[in-house]
Amino acid sequence: MKINNKKKVMNHMIFLLVVIVLLFGTIITLRFFGCHLLSILFVFITLLVLLYGKLKNRFIFEYENSGEILSIKSYQWLSGCKKPRFEMPHRKILNIEIKEGILKKYLVILFLSSSGKVLRMDIDITFCNENQVNLLFRDITKNMTMKNHELISERR
């Protein structure tokens, strides 16, 4: 199963870029006509839009489950870097959960390292919609329950 949020992130970032260009154009036009006080207001609005874009982080998230290995790629919008951020066999994953903040949403994965320590990985899934998050959570937990079922049947 494959899940990604590339289209949603691209649409959002293009919209933000258009808004910022329009705000800069408005600032230049207001400065040209001598409305300096109003242009300062638009500078403040532009800074707020830039801050919002920075807080949202613009991460593209790609999830792929090939049956045995769980692979998650997460990278910045403009970078073409698609290096896996997280690749792990299903048998090493202990628990997953979705944590939501004010502006961000994270997939939290607890897994066993090769040394036997329990490690935690937080992956930004802010731009994934509810349906994608539910599919992702259901797919990973299904593989975790299959893993637990196999372990129980092996012990018998």
Side-chain angles (χ1 to χ4, degrees):
M1 169 183 278
K2 292 184 180 186
I3 299 172
N4 70 43
N5 65 350
K6 191 173 187 174
K7 187 174 182 178
K8 187 174 180 182
V9 171
M10 293 196 52
N11 290 341
H12 182 79
M13 294 312 298
I14 289 171
F15 175 74
L16 270 178
L17 287 174
V18 168
V19 167
I20 290 170
V21 166
L22 290 174
L23 286 171
F24 275 128
T26 304
I27 291 168
I28 291 169
T29 304
L30 289 172
R31 290 278 179 166
F32 180 74
F33 288 116
C35 301
H36 297 291
L37 193 57
L38 195 56
S39 69
I40 292 173
L41 174 68
F42 276 93
V43 167
F44 182 69
I45 292 170
T46 305
L47 289 175
L48 287 176
V49 170
L50 287 170
L51 179 66
Y52 171 76
K54 177 67 177 158
L55 289 175
K56 281 299 233 181
N57 245 0
R58 3 177 243 287
F59 277 103
I60 293 175
F61 171 83
E62 293 179 353
Y63 165 80
E64 185 176 347
N65 181 2
S66 63
E68 189 65 31
I69 302 276
L70 172 85
S71 175
I72 296 175
K73 298 174 181 105
S74 182
Y75 54 94
Q76 290 281 334
W77 176 59
L78 285 176
S79 75
C81 178
K82 288 189 177 185
K83 294 179 184 170
R85 174 129 189 248
F86 182 82
E87 278 191 343
M88 186 67 55
H90 288 289
R91 67 182 186 284
K92 291 195 174 201
I93 297 174
L94 301 174
N95 191 18
I96 65 160
E97 63 180 304
I98 308 294
K99 290 214 174 185
E100 293 189 39
I102 296 171
L103 292 173
K104 294 189 179 203
K105 193 183 317 180
Y106 292 98
L107 173 68
V108 180
I109 302 174
L110 295 175
F111 61 96
L112 274 173
S113 70
S114 57
S115 64
K117 293 181 183 178
V118 176
L119 299 176
R120 174 186 169 144
M121 174 68 85
D122 296 345
I123 300 169
D124 190 344
I125 57 171
T126 302
F127 281 99
C128 291
N129 62 30
E130 276 310 304
N131 187 34
Q132 289 173 326
V133 171
N134 290 336
L135 283 171
L136 174 70
F137 190 77
R138 197 174 328 133
D139 192 54
I140 295 173
T141 53
K142 178 185 77 169
N143 285 317
M144 286 174 57
T145 55
M146 286 174 43
K147 170 193 74 168
N148 290 338
H149 188 293
E150 288 172 6
L151 288 175
I152 291 169
S153 63
E154 285 177 6
R155 289 181 186 164
R156 291 182 184 174

